[in-house]
Amino acid sequence: MFLSQINIYPIKSLRGISLKEAEFDRKGLKLDRRWMLVDERNCFLTQRQYPKMATIGTKVEDGFLVVFNEDGGLKIPFEPESKRMQLVKVWASEVLAEVYEDSINDWFSFVLGIRCKLVKMPDGAVRKVDPEYAISLNDEVSFADGYPFLLTNEASLADLNSRLDEPIPMNRFRPNLVVSGFEPFAEDAWRRIKIGENIFHIVKPSSRCIITTIDQETGERKNEEPLKTLAKFRSLYGDGRVFFGQNLVADCLKGKEGFLRVGDRVEVSDLVISSPN
């Protein structure tokens, strides 16, 4: 039972990067969703509205983010030069962000066909995890939808794919952490796990949206899968939502940072009496 994948998505909703090892803090993996595109109202953009975002790749090179697609690319410094600050919105929360200069914003605006800006979350910015699910008052999150880490299980994907006419890859679910060696949907019953030397709390099943239907290479939505099939056996609460994967927060009480490697042993240390399944 081990950690089989580590993934970061530096710019929210763009293509991710697979890593062999990564540092993390209470906001999540280092560089994960610390940047985001916003519209002219300073509201976040995602593949839900603009599936073409999936076609923009990202990589990290010597203190720069590099974004690219089939028509070219752009090199972005980690720190904006403009020194502009702006309140930006992610769902119901607002946080102060640094705004990049127009030359960078124009590239994204051209590619996506909408006026937009790239923003960065400053190191000192605080965006709290929903207190209903937080483990402590110190739990924070980056520009991710709501939680610092998303974990999925290879066996759960295999189970789902056995029900689909056409199997899908794990990147449809955009996880940070993927585990191997467990039974399908065993993660429903977990409440605390240890990965390597790090403790994580499982706080909430991940409700899935239309992004799971988008091919993460082409940006195309071909059909209603996997949501249609998930609705048959993963509508855990009978309210129309479907679930795949679990949201985590790190136990950072003993320090602000941790380290993960692919291959780290995964141990379950706390279970609920009965799982949603």
Side-chain angles (χ1 to χ4, degrees):
M1 296 177 284
F2 64 96
L3 183 65
S4 58
Q5 289 184 34
I6 301 172
N7 302 299
I8 61 171
Y9 310 86
I11 301 178
K12 182 179 178 70
S13 228
L14 300 194
R15 196 176 298 167
I17 303 170
S18 292
L19 304 174
K20 295 297 184 184
E21 56 186 36
E23 296 177 77
F24 69 87
D25 58 23
R26 65 177 74 256
K27 282 187 174 75
L29 295 172
K30 184 178 180 181
L31 303 183
D32 183 54
R33 297 176 176 96
R34 306 303 168 100
W35 290 265
M36 179 173 72
L37 292 168
V38 299
D39 63 17
E40 293 183 295
R41 298 174 300 152
N42 297 307
C43 291
F44 72 117
L45 302 181
T46 75
Q47 292 180 34
R48 297 173 182 89
Q49 310 99 327
Y50 303 99
K52 193 173 182 179
M53 294 175 76
T55 67
I56 305 176
T58 56
K59 56 184 178 180
V60 178
E61 290 183 355
D62 301 323
F64 287 85
L65 279 181
V66 178
V67 294
F68 56 93
N69 65 5
E70 60 183 8
D71 297 319
L74 182 68
K75 197 171 184 178
I76 304 169
F78 277 4
E79 299 299 331
E81 296 176 2
S82 71
K83 308 302 180 186
R84 286 185 291 162
M85 303 290 287
Q86 177 68 56
L87 275 176
V88 297
K89 191 168 184 178
V90 185
W91 297 114
S93 64
E94 287 188 325
V95 63
L96 197 62
E98 300 171 305
V99 183
Y100 275 83
E101 49 272 18
D102 290 342
S103 60
I104 289 173
N105 300 332
D106 289 345
W107 188 90
F108 288 105
S109 298
F110 175 77
V111 170
L112 297 178
I114 177 179
R115 290 302 307 171
C116 58
K117 297 175 287 191
L118 180 68
V119 300
K120 181 187 179 183
M121 179 177 281
D123 290 339
V126 176
R127 180 174 172 239
K128 292 290 189 179
V129 169
D130 184 341
E132 182 177 352
Y133 299 101
I135 299 300
S136 80
L137 295 176
N138 295 321
D139 289 338
E140 300 177 21
V141 61
S142 62
F143 287 136
D145 276 356
Y147 303 91
F149 306 89
L150 174 62
L151 177 145
T152 58
N153 176 1
E154 286 188 0
S156 301
L157 179 63
D159 182 283
L160 170 61
N161 278 334
S162 72
R163 305 166 191 255
L164 298 175
D165 292 334
E166 184 177 342
I168 62 172
M170 188 66 87
N171 66 8
R172 290 281 193 97
F173 298 99
R174 298 176 64 81
N176 296 116
L177 309 174
V178 182
V179 297
S180 181
F182 294 94
E183 293 296 315
F185 302 106
E187 63 273 20
D188 286 343
W190 301 348
R191 283 301 169 263
R192 188 170 58 181
I193 61 173
K194 185 177 183 182
I195 306 178
E197 298 301 317
N198 310 284
I199 300 296
F200 294 87
H201 299 269
I202 289 79
V203 295
K204 184 180 180 295
S206 180
S207 177
R208 310 314 309 216
C209 70
I210 196 172
I211 290 177
T212 60
T213 68
I214 298 170
D215 186 309
Q216 293 299 297
E217 297 298 322
T218 66
E220 296 177 353
R221 185 186 182 206
K222 298 179 179 179
N223 52 44
E224 297 178 287
E225 296 294 5
L227 294 180
K228 183 178 179 180
T229 295
L230 285 170
K232 297 175 182 178
F233 76 112
R234 294 295 297 170
S235 183
L236 304 180
Y237 304 110
D239 57 5
R241 294 177 298 161
V242 298
F243 298 87
F244 188 94
Q246 296 286 335
N247 293 296
L248 279 59
V249 298
D251 189 338
C252 291
L253 297 178
K254 295 182 180 180
K256 294 184 178 180
E257 298 183 350
F259 193 82
L260 295 169
R261 292 183 180 87
V262 168
D264 277 349
R265 180 180 175 85
V266 179
E267 302 173 68
V268 179
S269 57
D270 195 8
L271 295 166
V272 292
I273 295 175
S274 60
S275 72
N277 258 1

